């Protein structure tokens, strides 16, 4: 296996082996791409004869020739009311950098979007067009990263697109901008074409949680900035005030990675130590403090003094899993259905060893940071643990697993 990925519409895993795609777990609407809708508790090969270089959200993938393929259910915020149990090539541009659920960056670094447009999220200066084919986002800008924020339900999803251009400037379009999360320092709720995030900052990376209304970004000097919703201190600026423009996270630390969860943030600094801020209802800040009443509006150090290679967030956006400098996995926070991998369902307020003494080199998480953790060993074998319905564990069973299998 090459890399753990997730399908944004369900809890099945997509991983690549010799560039061929394999899938297992929940198969409603044909999202495994094997020609039927039967859930499978073990990996099955899909797309015979097609080799892929990347698998994106909601079963959009990029083949070796950089063409986009789609399968499974294309839901209302993406391609309206279509589903395929075998892969279909999408009409439109070749792809160069990335593909996601309803957006891509082409081989020339231009942004394209498709699907519904109720908030102007296609970025084409209208709200009427709904398309199953990619349309070019206005502005003639070249992008290095795109992400989508969505929240709401049914056909009324609010959707905001964020883009980081090749000069380091951030842009947003769509809506609704009710918490200032578009970073425009304006009360305007929707934008049907890209608008600049104010402040003139040049960023190298950013992150958001798809159904949470705040953004965290790293500038050229690795300093963290945040804006949007700030109910429990998730912006890290020492207040509980929503922000409609980027504010500095209150710390002298420089960071090399930030990842957003459910109203909290985890980060790794330039010395490889882990920091968190925001909501601590399940102990996910990792400070060994009582869960409730210990939220943090500025960064706090994760206890244990470990150096981290990587951290990610899963389990309803409320748990953290990390790989330390010795390739050992640790997890803390919400332990619903054993997703911390420690043979219990007890929440943990400090890093707790994932059992098994495995050496891991890469972490992933299913269902857009809502599901189980997935890890690859140094020998490129895949392990996972947690909720087991529909066979999402991939061990030829449909059982919840409380430690890696």
């Amino acid at each position: 296996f090459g890399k753990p990925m997730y399908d944004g519409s369900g809890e099945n895993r997509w991983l690549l082996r010799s560039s061929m795609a394999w899938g297992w777990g929940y198969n409603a609407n044909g999202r495994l791409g094997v020609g039927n809708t039967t859930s499978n508790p073990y990996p099955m090969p899909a797309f015979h004869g097609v080799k892929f270089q990347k698998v994106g959200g909601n079963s959009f993938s990029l083949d070796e020739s950089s063409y986009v393929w789609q399968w499974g259910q294309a839901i209302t915020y993406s391609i309206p009311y279509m589903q395929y149990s075998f892969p279909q090539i999408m009409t439109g541009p070749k792809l160069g950098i990335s593909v996601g659920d309803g957006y891509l960056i082409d081989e020339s670094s231009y942004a394209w979007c498709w699907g519904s447009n109720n908030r102007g999220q296609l970025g084409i200066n209208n709200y009427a067009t709904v398309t199953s084919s990619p349309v070019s986002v206005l502005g003639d800008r070249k992008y290095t990263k795109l992400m989508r924020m969505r929240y709401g339900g049914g056909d009324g999803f609010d959707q905001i697109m964020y883009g980081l251009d090749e000069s380091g400037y951030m842009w947003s379009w769509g809506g609704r901008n009710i918490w200032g999360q578009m970073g425009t320092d304006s009360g305007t709720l929707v934008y049907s074409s890209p608008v600049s995030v104010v402040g003139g900052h040049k960023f190298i990376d950013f992150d958001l949680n798809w159904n949470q209304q705040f953004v965290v970004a790293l500038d050229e000097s690795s300093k963290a900035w945040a804006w949007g919703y700030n109910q429990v201190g998730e912006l890290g600026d020492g207040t509980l005030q929503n922000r409609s423009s980027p504010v500095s996270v209150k710390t002298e630390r420089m960071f090399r990675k930030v990842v957003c969860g459910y109203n909290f943030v985890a980060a790794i600094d330039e010395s490889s130590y882990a920091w968190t801020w925001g909501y601590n209802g399940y102990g996910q800040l990792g400070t060994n403090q009582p869960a409730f009443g210990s939220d943090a509006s500025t960064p706090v150090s994760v206890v244990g003094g470990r150096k981290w290679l990587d951290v990610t967030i899963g389990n309803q956006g409320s748990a953290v899993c990390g790989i330390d400098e010795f390739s050992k996995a640790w997890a803390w926070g919400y332990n619903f259905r054993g997703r911390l991998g420690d043979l219990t369902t007890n929440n943990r307020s400090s890093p707790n060893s994932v059992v098994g003494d495995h050496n891991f080199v890469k972490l992933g998480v299913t269902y857009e940071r809502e599901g189980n953790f997935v890890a690859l060993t140094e020998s490129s074998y895949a392990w996972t643990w947690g909720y087991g319905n529909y066979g999402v564990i991939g061990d030829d069973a449909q059982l919840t697993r409380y430690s890696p299998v």
Side-chain angles (χ1 to χ4, degrees):
F1 288 122
K3 185 177 182 181
M5 303 295 289
Y6 62 81
D7 172 338
S9 62
E11 285 204 48
N12 50 296
R13 241 81 62 213
W14 284 98
L15 303 116
L16 308 183
R17 182 182 185 184
S18 300
S19 298
M20 304 300 290
W22 297 69
W24 59 93
Y26 191 45
N27 197 24
N29 310 112
R31 65 189 66 175
L32 295 186
V34 295
N36 59 50
T37 57
T38 303
S39 298
N40 292 297
Y42 52 86
M44 291 189 64
F47 326 129
H48 294 287
V50 181
K51 293 187 176 183
F52 291 91
Q53 57 175 294
K54 177 176 276 191
V55 180
N58 206 36
S59 297
F60 294 99
S61 294
L62 173 63
D63 72 16
E64 287 189 324
S65 298
S66 296
Y67 287 108
V68 181
W69 295 69
Q70 62 191 49
W71 62 93
Q73 183 184 24
I75 47 184
T76 57
Y77 51 79
S78 175
I79 303 173
Y81 311 113
M82 296 182 183
Q83 65 182 57
Y84 308 101
S85 61
F86 273 122
Q88 310 286 322
I89 284 186
M90 178 179 288
T91 60
K94 275 193 173 184
L95 191 65
I97 299 177
S98 65
V99 59
D101 181 13
Y103 58 88
L104 63 84
I105 299 175
D106 72 17
E107 59 187 347
S108 298
S109 299
Y110 293 109
W112 300 71
C113 291
W114 61 91
S116 60
N117 196 31
N118 59 318
R119 307 298 187 202
Q121 59 265 33
L122 296 185
I124 57 176
N125 203 31
N126 73 54
Y127 304 96
T129 300
V130 178
T131 176
S132 59
S133 298
V135 291
S136 179
V137 174
L138 293 178
D140 197 35
R141 296 178 190 89
K142 294 186 175 184
Y143 291 93
T144 61
K145 183 175 183 177
L146 297 175
M147 291 189 77
R148 182 191 299 275
M149 179 186 292
R150 65 178 183 265
Y151 46 97
D155 293 342
F157 273 103
D158 290 335
Q159 299 182 61
I160 300 173
M161 286 297 306
Y162 295 87
L164 178 64
D165 73 22
E166 61 179 7
S167 297
Y169 296 111
M170 279 196 64
W171 302 79
S172 59
W173 59 96
R176 294 174 297 165
N177 188 31
I178 54 179
W179 307 109
Q181 66 267 44
M182 296 186 75
T184 59
D185 200 21
S186 167
T188 302
L189 292 179
V190 294
Y191 296 89
S192 60
S193 59
V195 290
S196 177
V197 171
V198 301
H201 307 287
K202 288 191 174 183
F203 296 110
I204 58 173
D205 198 10
F206 71 96
D207 195 53
L208 56 89
N209 192 329
W210 67 277
N211 66 352
Q212 297 298 302
Q213 294 84 53
F214 69 98
V215 181
V216 180
L218 298 178
D219 70 15
E220 290 181 310
S221 64
S222 298
K223 186 175 181 62
W225 300 77
W227 60 95
Y229 191 54
N230 196 26
Q231 181 185 29
V232 287
E234 49 266 71
L235 300 189
D237 67 341
T239 78
L240 302 182
Q241 181 179 342
N242 301 331
R243 303 290 188 174
S244 61
S245 61
V247 292
S248 175
V249 173
K250 197 172 182 179
T251 179
E252 298 300 318
R253 298 280 174 171
M254 302 293 109
F255 297 103
R256 61 177 174 86
K257 180 174 183 176
V258 291
V259 58
C260 297
Y262 180 80
N263 289 345
F264 85 106
V265 178
I268 301 176
D269 70 18
E270 290 186 320
S271 298
S272 296
Y273 295 108
W275 299 76
T276 53
W277 59 92
Y279 183 56
N280 196 36
Y282 301 101
Q284 60 264 52
L285 295 190
T287 56
N288 203 29
Q289 298 293 314
F292 292 98
S294 56
D295 302 336
S297 62
T298 59
V300 291
S301 177
V302 173
V303 300
R306 297 176 185 86
K307 291 188 174 184
W308 302 92
L309 300 177
D310 194 18
V311 294
T312 192
I313 290 174
N315 201 4
Q316 301 180 33
S318 299
V320 182
C321 187
I323 300 173
D324 70 15
E325 61 182 327
F326 304 108
S327 299
K328 302 302 181 184
W330 302 75
W332 61 97
Y334 189 34
N335 199 13
F336 179 67
R337 292 181 174 171
R339 283 174 169 156
L340 297 189
D342 66 352
L343 295 175
T344 79
T345 57
N346 300 326
N347 299 336
R348 303 291 185 179
S349 62
S350 61
N352 202 53
S353 179
V354 174
V355 302
D357 197 33
H358 305 286
N359 289 334
F360 293 120
V361 296
K362 180 71 177 179
L363 289 172
V365 64
T366 66
Y367 196 32
E368 300 188 276
R369 302 180 189 168
E370 296 291 303
N372 298 336
F373 294 112
V374 188
L376 290 181
T377 67
E378 293 173 322
S379 301
S380 296
Y381 291 106
W383 295 73
T384 189
W385 56 96
Y387 185 56
N389 276 20
Y390 307 106
V392 299
I393 296 296
D395 64 343
D396 201 13
Q398 299 192 43
L399 302 173
T400 292
R401 301 297 189 183
Y402 300 91
S403 63
V405 293

